[in-house]
């Protein structure tokens, strides 16, 4: 069949994620993010709909560029308050049997030795359904609260990230042999110490002499997501990521991004088609075109322009409160700007954006397109996006999470199945096996599979 | 009624916790620690039995003093492999409605800004049933893998711990006013920014200028456990802990400990009776005395002396592989030694211990007594321990977790209820409300209630 279309659900442990202001909708119950029931209901819906995964974003900081302070973010619930995404993973894992669970964790903010154990634990508890979105951290407010005066420089941050990956690969992939745990009750041997290896890592940023505390989990290394938009970030993603996220308002922008990321993967010696690319989108649908359009109009009434600009200011580092809403946005040369604003304006030659237009654009579903219509119309557009850009699927934002995901499951999934463009009954197994049809371990060509420990022999020995 | 007897279940996310060797028992299925099903089955059993809490230990390191290496720990599964306890909390919380969940986290190993959010998230998801066992870290192997050449000195560690508590109290107790979150859809105000305060913490070890990322959780500060045995540790516990753990082989040793901890609480200006004290114990029971004794004999067959000495060496810092099993243990003057070995020997004037006796003693249920017999006999002993030592209850270790806890619930709980010494149907609510009959917030006299932020006014304001 033609390439299947993949769905990911883009979520965050916060009242309001990518549709600033929509928490004020009469049918919004955003406060349910505090309850297990919400996450379980959502996860079971996604699993029923054959989604690849639920994907949990995180920032560990506040959007405080707009008006040079956090007031607007607090007032409009722009990704604050924000709870720990990792705590949701065991709940979702236990309430589902197949759904992948992708979780964002910024690696500059936790030591790799403790982080590796945290992830191994979740991979065990979920039967190997954990994905990790590798983020190097981009909000200065987070760095300040962690006692760092400022973030590391952008390129240095990626050097640290490369070493961090080296440490966690060693812990996950090399520290325990597959046959290290024997659980031999007769001999009284739980683990054969000859098959457990200290990683002896002594690097520029980290010293980790010992071995991993967790026994090998189903995937060992979690399924790896990354979304690096800068040249250095794209190279990092091309080296490490098994799936990547991309966002932009038009097929042309997205196609450029997909081509670039696959070229970068090729340059790293990896199979470019083995890298899954999801584009951010909001699907607004219903039983009829009229119902879908009516829903979209109703959503637009609740978009909050100030909240949207708070988000946009945080992404780009530009305080948009100093600009008039009718000003045209110029190309902004910051790291984050390249990934956010540049994709709206300079990279899309067909139009200029005013500040207001940009706010209204990202005000519903963030930086991706809104795909609206009845099942036929939406399916047509999804197929066109997939076939014309080379993406593998969509990272679906929401206005009202349960309603929007529910409408996709009710209307869009059956239509795509009819067209032979959706896996109606996806196979179970680990997340990697489901997404790449291989695994559960990293592919042989992946850098995590090739990591070496300084002195693999002799193993851990008593003096 | 006479003071009720409280039960806590002492567990760890590892195949073998306090009964080294018992994982080899034919009915042991220690590998179930990797599955959600095990933890849910256990938690529901404990809740049915009216336990106060399940309490999850952690060490983040390896017992590598015995024979100067980790071989024995690996071979005999002496608290290794060891997974993250925090991942179990959401599972247990969702599978129960009343049970408390105490979790150990060493504060030297995670930044207070991220840790505070992690705990607030769990307190939200559990409806306020989280307890935190404050540990300052005591295994050198953990410090080495986190890039610290050696642990901080013992007293400096407590200075850092005091500052750490200061930071998390500020985040939990002072950063968000009770009425900060308004969720006013009509006005479009989720949080009133005037009621959210940056904590402006600038200390010797930590700089945290910003505000807490999580909105106030039911308890704000989790219920606080601590078990400091050194003089400095006892002072720390007396200042911060709402419940403490104590262990020793005899009522006399325990009574000394209880008296000391309550005197220290009094010296800190707190109500000494508001501090709950749990003594570690293993209950081995059955339908008859004979059944209980037979079970105990059967357990003894699986105690592993080498594994027990691995644990004892780690606790005391003394490599017992260099001693003959028939050597008498002398008083050992190390920090950990005071809390472990000293309680076996010098502090108990009635007997000396050989190395073998100490190993056999801690080989079943760790450092506490084994209380064996039918329901009557066990209940008699529990009442005597409570009434003669001043403890409030027991932190129950296990040989086979589901069997031992199941036997307590089946035989001991009904007998104690009959005697009016057990709350058959404990009230629900937050953990603090359940255990202290007050709350859900910290008591007014607690230092966490009195913490001040440098500039509480003005609140977070835009420039």
């Amino acid at each position: 069949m033609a390439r299947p279309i993949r769905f990911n659900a883009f979520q965050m442990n916060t009242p309001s994620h990518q549709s600033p202001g929509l928490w004020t909708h009469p049918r919004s119950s955003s406060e349910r993010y505090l309850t297990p029931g919400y996450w379980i209901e959502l996860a079971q819906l996604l699993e029923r709909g054959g989604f690849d995964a639920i994907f949990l974003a995180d920032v560990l900081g506040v959007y405080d560029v707009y008006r040079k302070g956090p007031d607007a973010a607090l007032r409009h619930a722009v990704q604050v308050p924000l709870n720990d995404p990792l705590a949701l993973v065991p709940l979702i894992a236990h309430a589902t049997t197949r759904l992948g669970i992708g979780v964002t964790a910024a690696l500059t903010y936790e030591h790799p030795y403790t982080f590796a154990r945290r992830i191994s634990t979740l991979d065990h508890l979920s039967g190997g359904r954990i994905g990790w979105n590798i983020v190097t951290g981009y909000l200065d407010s987070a760095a300040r609260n962690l006692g760092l005066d400022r973030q590391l420089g952008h390129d240095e941050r990626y050097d640290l990230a490369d070493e961090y990956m080296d440490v966690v690969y060693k812990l996950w992939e090399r520290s325990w042999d597959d046959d290290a745990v024997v659980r031999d009750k007769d001999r009284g041997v739980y683990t054969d110490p000859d098959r457990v290896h200290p990683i002896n890592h002594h690097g520029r940023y980290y010293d980790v002499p010992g071995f991993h505390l967790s026994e090998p989990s189903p995937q060992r290394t979690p399924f790896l997501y990354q979304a690096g938009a800068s040249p250095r970030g794209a190279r990092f993603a091309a080296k490490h990521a098994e799936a990547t996220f991309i966002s932009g308002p038009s097929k042309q922008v997205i196609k450029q991004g997909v081509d670039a990321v696959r070229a970068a993967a090729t340059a790293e010696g990896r199979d470019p088609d083995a890298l899954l690319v999801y584009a951010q989108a909001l699907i607004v649908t219903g039983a009829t075109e009229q119902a879908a359009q009516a829903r979209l109009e109703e959503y637009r009434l609740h978009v909050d322009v100030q909240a949207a600009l708070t988000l946009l200011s945080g992404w780009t580092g530009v305080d948009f409160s100093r600009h008039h809403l009718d000003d045209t946005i110029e190309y902004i040369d910051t790291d984050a700007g390249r990934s956010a604003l540049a994709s709206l304006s300079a990279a899309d030659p067909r139009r200029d954006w005013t500040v207001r237009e940009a706010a209204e654009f990202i005000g519903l579903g963030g930086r991706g397109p809104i795909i609206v219509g009845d099942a036929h119309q939406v399916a047509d557009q999804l197929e066109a996006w997939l076939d014309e850009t080379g993406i593998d699927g969509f990272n679906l934002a929401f206005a009202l999470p349960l309603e929007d995901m529910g409408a996709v499951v009710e209307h869009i999934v059956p239509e795509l199945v009819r067209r032979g463009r959706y896996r109606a009954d996806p196979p179970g197994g680990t997340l990697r096996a489901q997404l790449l049809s291989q695994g559960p371990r990293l592919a042989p060509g992946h850098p995590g599979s090739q990591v070496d420990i300084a002195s693999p022999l002799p193993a851990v020995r008593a003096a």
Side-chain angles (χ1 to χ4, degrees), chain A:
Chain A
M1 75 177 186
R3 281 192 310 139
I5 292 174
R6 297 174 169 280
F7 288 145
N8 226 3
F10 197 22
Q11 301 277 331
M12 201 173 197
N13 197 352
T14 190
S16 177
H17 180 206
Q18 291 269 338
S19 294
L22 266 291
W23 72 269
T24 63
H25 189 287
R27 292 196 306 278
S28 164
S29 48
S30 62
E31 70 283 1
R32 288 192 66 203
Y33 85 98
L34 294 171
T35 66
Y38 165 69
W39 296 101
I40 289 172
E41 183 179 348
L42 177 65
Q44 291 177 338
L45 169 68
L46 300 174
E47 176 154 288
R48 208 160 59 236
F51 275 53
D52 281 355
I54 182 171
F55 180 80
L56 299 163
D58 193 28
V59 295
L60 203 65
V62 183
Y63 289 84
D64 58 3
V65 174
Y66 187 74
R67 290 197 182 148
K68 294 190 173 49
D71 266 30
L74 284 164
R75 192 183 314 273
H76 303 295
V78 179
Q79 302 185 2
V80 65
L82 176 61
N83 278 350
D84 179 17
L86 281 160
L88 304 177
V89 176
L91 282 175
I92 294 171
H94 188 59
T96 55
T97 60
R98 186 207 53 78
L99 187 72
I101 307 157
V103 67
T104 299
L107 46 71
T108 41
Y109 303 153
E110 183 170 8
H111 195 282
Y113 183 66
T114 54
F115 179 71
R117 187 179 72 143
R118 241 188 256 290
I119 293 293
S120 293
T121 302
L122 296 175
D123 204 50
H124 277 298
L125 290 173
S126 67
R129 290 187 283 134
I130 296 303
W132 170 32
N133 179 34
I134 310 163
V135 167
T136 58
Y138 68 94
L139 287 180
D140 278 337
S141 59
R144 281 196 303 274
N145 284 309
L146 290 160
L148 312 168
D149 275 329
R150 50 164 197 83
Q151 302 243 29
L152 296 173
H154 183 273
D155 279 8
E156 191 183 0
R157 209 195 303 159
Y158 277 101
D159 289 343
L160 180 144
D162 275 328
E163 187 182 332
Y164 194 102
M165 296 307 296
D166 205 41
V167 174
V168 293
Y169 287 147
K170 288 173 179 174
L171 290 168
W172 284 328
E173 298 289 332
R174 289 290 176 272
S175 186
W176 293 62
D177 295 349
D178 282 342
D179 54 1
V181 175
V182 294
R183 292 192 188 94
D184 184 333
K185 288 184 175 184
D186 294 336
R187 288 169 52 229
V189 179
Y190 192 94
T191 299
D192 178 351
D194 290 345
R195 296 173 190 172
V196 178
H197 313 283
I199 68 166
N200 287 317
H201 180 90
H202 302 287
R204 180 170 164 201
Y205 300 98
Y206 300 106
D207 274 304
V208 183
F211 55 81
H212 193 31
L213 287 174
S214 300
E215 58 182 287
S217 69
Q219 298 186 112
R220 286 185 176 261
T221 296
F223 186 79
L224 297 174
Y225 298 96
Q226 215 260 352
S230 69
R232 184 72 176 81
R235 212 160 76 228
F236 184 88
K239 183 174 169 190
H240 297 283
E242 301 174 275
T244 189
F245 298 107
I246 200 165
S247 53
S250 68
K251 297 195 194 85
Q252 187 177 350
V253 170
I254 292 298
K255 182 173 189 332
Q256 286 172 8
V258 174
D259 290 347
V261 76
R262 296 215 197 274
T266 305
E268 290 287 338
R270 296 178 60 203
D271 174 3
D273 295 323
L275 181 69
L276 296 180
V277 184
Y278 297 86
Q280 186 167 335
L282 171 66
I283 293 176
V284 180
T285 188
T288 64
E289 179 182 3
Q290 289 71 27
Q293 289 290 355
R295 179 186 287 264
L296 178 60
E297 290 318 306
E298 187 199 39
Y299 285 168
R300 285 201 201 281
L301 297 176
H302 296 91
V303 170
D304 187 317
V305 168
Q306 275 211 12
L309 292 178
T310 303
L311 210 49
L312 193 61
S313 295
W315 286 338
T316 59
V318 174
D319 178 2
F320 280 98
S321 72
R322 296 179 308 173
H323 296 275
H324 193 278
L325 287 175
D326 296 322
D327 287 353
T328 298
I329 295 176
E330 313 255 320
Y331 182 82
I332 291 172
D333 189 17
T334 66
D335 294 335
R338 271 192 291 278
S339 73
L341 200 55
S343 67
L344 304 183
S345 52
D348 185 353
R350 290 172 308 173
R351 62 175 292 192
D352 292 326
W353 298 70
T354 64
V355 172
R356 186 196 314 277
E357 286 170 340
E360 286 170 351
F361 171 67
I362 69 160
L364 267 184
R367 284 173 260 175
I370 301 173
I371 298 177
V372 60
D374 65 17
H376 270 274
Q377 294 166 318
V378 169
D380 286 349
Q381 294 178 71
L382 296 177
E383 288 197 77
W385 275 81
L386 211 80
D387 297 337
E388 293 171 31
T389 65
I391 60 171
D392 298 284
F394 297 88
N395 196 28
L396 293 182
F398 61 85
L400 298 179
L402 291 167
E403 285 194 26
D404 293 331
M405 298 299 148
V408 168
V409 172
E410 183 185 354
H411 300 294
I412 308 305
V413 164
E415 176 61 26
L416 291 176
V417 169
R418 262 190 297 277
R419 297 181 184 202
R421 296 297 300 259
Y422 199 83
R423 301 176 311 166
D425 197 10
T430 65
L431 181 54
R432 180 169 290 114
Q434 290 188 60
L435 297 195
L436 301 183
S437 304
Q438 65 170 40
R441 303 290 165 76
L442 285 170
H446 190 283
S449 293
Q450 298 169 332
V451 71
D452 213 359
I453 53 181
S455 39
L457 295 170
V460 176
R461 296 300 309 169

